[in-house]
Amino acid sequence: MFIPSPLPEDLEAWGQAVAELRALLPQALLAAIHLPADELAGPAPATRSAVDMDLRSFEECVAFVAPQREAG
């Protein structure tokens, strides 16, 4: 499941939402997508620890999914 990374002021609420997703969908792979504006600051440690994958762009998401679609 791809989820957008939070803005710094929304980190606490984002963390709670991710924890709820984990509880509801324990088998789901959670991947945070960082928006281009986030590139300067980089991912927050709390963001990285809350998800299974930390992707830097939408293009990385597509690259991650594309091989699975071809195999399916």
Side-chain angles (χ1 to χ4, degrees), residues 14-29:
W14 181 88
Q16 291 172 353
V18 171
E20 289 177 26
L21 279 173
R22 283 248 185 248
L24 293 170
L25 304 167
Q27 301 297 324
L29 177 83

Side-chain angles (χ1 to χ4, degrees), residues 22-62:
R22 283 248 185 248
L24 293 170
L25 304 167
Q27 301 297 324
L29 177 83
L30 301 180
I33 305 169
H34 295 278
L35 303 175
D38 294 341
E39 290 177 9
L40 297 175
T47 303
R48 284 194 303 262
S49 65
V51 295
D52 301 304
M53 296 181 72
D54 198 52
L55 304 173
R56 295 173 294 198
S57 68
F58 179 75
E59 288 77 16
E60 280 191 354
C61 295
V62 172

Side-chain angles (χ1 to χ4, degrees), residues 1-26:
M1 176 175 290
F2 296 110
I3 52 178
S5 62
L7 296 172
E9 60 269 17
D10 297 329
L11 186 58
E12 185 177 338
W14 181 88
Q16 291 172 353
V18 171
E20 289 177 26
L21 279 173
R22 283 248 185 248
L24 293 170
L25 304 167

